[in-house]
Amino acid sequence: MIHTPRTLRRALAATALVTIAAVAPLADDTATADSARTAPALAAGACGPVIPKGDGTTWTCTFADAFDGTALDTDTWIVQDTRRTGFTVGKTCFTSSPDNVRVRDGHLILVAREGRTINCRSPKGFFSTRYTGGMVGTRGSFSQAYGRFEVRAELPAGGGPGLHGGFWMNPLDMAYGPWPASGEIDVAEWWSSDPTLVLPSLHYNGRDPQADSGWGCRVTDQTAFHTYTLEWLRTVMRFSIDGDLCFARSWTPDAPQQAPQPFDRPFSMILDMAVGPATGTNKVSWRTPFPGSLVVDYARAWR
């Protein structure tokens, strides 16, 4: 993984996660584009056992965090803070408080909470809310186009609507225009209103909501640890849960883009747990199962 100088990272920190959407084996496919060469190989074993590709070669580890320390590695992860960026999801005020973002016992824990009403201040003003959440991302420290991306995580219990989070990827640069023109990859998106659905999706100009989401990607118990994996190749993306393929998709963007656009540039990784909107099937209510935690055992990437 590559780290930017600390002075640049301080400048990036205020805006690093704002590009998140505000909503919202073929041998030839495994070649890496020049624009993707942002991540050198890590030491053998950093990503666990060596994993073979379909062409007989093996995946090369480029990113690994097992959260073994006592605090989040802020040279690797930037913490979303609504006070600095103005970014929010639904009713969530994102904070860097250990109540919302912490590392403990070898896990990253991101928590959505209900509490007393606060004025969530931001560069855009402020809004009143009772809800806080946690979000971290690798923009500014690690990004990559094509490859294998994976987290092992457990999700909150269901029981009512109102929580929303998971594992996302967004472009390092909005090269093709504002969302969704430059793309978004949801590896494992989750809502407490439908707790066994852990949805992979592609967002881009030309998206078909049915064909570009893996509606069959479910788990029997989301509160247990599961491994959520994306293999991103030039012409297809493949999504697996616990090693079992549940969704594959080749995309056809609207003109003037041509495949593999917009998914031909480096994306960063994002993890979050937030509170849903005031309306819709996942709206927050007295039935929302607070607090809700996304517990991440590790995050890894290969090329």
Side-chain angles (χ1 to χ4, degrees):
M1 92 191 63
I2 290 177
H3 298 298
T4 55
R6 287 184 180 274
T7 53
L8 177 57
R9 286 187 54 76
R10 290 192 188 100
L12 286 167
T15 56
L17 298 181
V18 178
T19 56
I20 298 169
V23 170
L26 301 174
D28 290 343
D29 276 347
T30 59
T32 303
D34 288 342
S35 63
R37 298 185 189 278
T38 58
L42 297 185
C47 284
V50 173
I51 301 172
K53 296 183 181 181
D55 63 357
T57 63
T58 58
W59 290 104
T60 299
C61 181
T62 54
F63 180 96
D65 195 341
F67 306 107
D68 289 332
T70 58
L72 186 70
D73 180 357
T74 54
D75 281 337
T76 300
W77 301 95
I78 293 175
V79 179
Q80 178 65 265
D81 191 330
T82 301
R83 293 173 301 175
R84 292 199 307 258
T85 67
F87 181 79
T88 187
V89 170
K91 296 184 170 214
T92 312
C93 183
F94 289 108
T95 87
S96 58
S97 166
D99 288 340
N100 300 112
V101 180
R102 63 181 180 269
V103 170
R104 187 178 66 193
D105 300 329
H107 299 117
L108 167 67
I109 305 171
L110 304 175
V111 188
R113 294 183 178 276
E114 180 182 36
R116 62 180 179 84
T117 299
I118 61 172
N119 287 328
C120 185
R121 298 185 179 277
S122 80
K124 301 175 183 178
F126 67 87
F127 64 95
S128 294
T129 184
R130 301 198 309 274
Y131 310 112
T132 58
M135 175 183 285
V136 299
T138 65
R139 188 169 186 260
S141 63
F142 171 81
S143 60
Q144 181 175 295
Y146 309 118
R148 179 184 173 99
F149 305 83
E150 182 174 283
V151 299
R152 183 174 183 264
E154 64 179 24
L155 290 155
L163 299 181
H164 177 215
F167 173 27
W168 321 55
M169 296 179 64
N170 274 312
L172 178 62
D173 300 304
M174 295 301 210
Y176 299 109
W179 188 92
S182 294
E184 174 187 321
I185 306 168
D186 302 333
V187 183
E189 187 172 10
W190 180 85
W191 300 264
S192 59
S193 58
D194 192 354
T196 64
L197 176 66
V198 190
L199 188 71
S201 295
L202 301 181
H203 294 268
Y204 59 98
N205 287 342
R207 163 179 163 81
D208 180 330
Q210 293 301 315
D212 284 298
S213 291
W215 298 102
C217 292
R218 290 187 176 271
V219 294
T220 56
D221 179 7
Q222 80 282 355
T223 66
F225 277 105
H226 296 282
T227 304
Y228 302 97
T229 307
L230 162 67
E231 289 189 1
W232 172 9
L233 309 179
R234 284 187 183 275
T235 61
V236 65
M237 294 200 194
R238 297 173 179 156
F239 300 85
S240 301
I241 299 177
D242 296 331
D244 295 326
L245 181 70
C246 66
F247 178 59
R249 178 65 173 165
S250 297
W251 57 97
T252 304
D254 286 344
Q257 290 186 15
Q258 295 182 344
Q261 297 173 337
F263 302 110
D264 61 346
R265 292 176 176 267
F267 278 48
S268 60
M269 299 190 293
I270 301 156
L271 299 161
D272 85 292
M273 183 51 58
V275 181
T279 60
T281 58
N282 198 51
K283 74 175 185 177
V284 63
S285 74
W286 63 269
R287 297 174 52 224
T288 302
F290 288 113
S293 298
L294 173 67
V295 181
V296 184
D297 183 36
Y298 65 73
R300 296 172 179 170
W302 300 256
R303 59 170 165 81

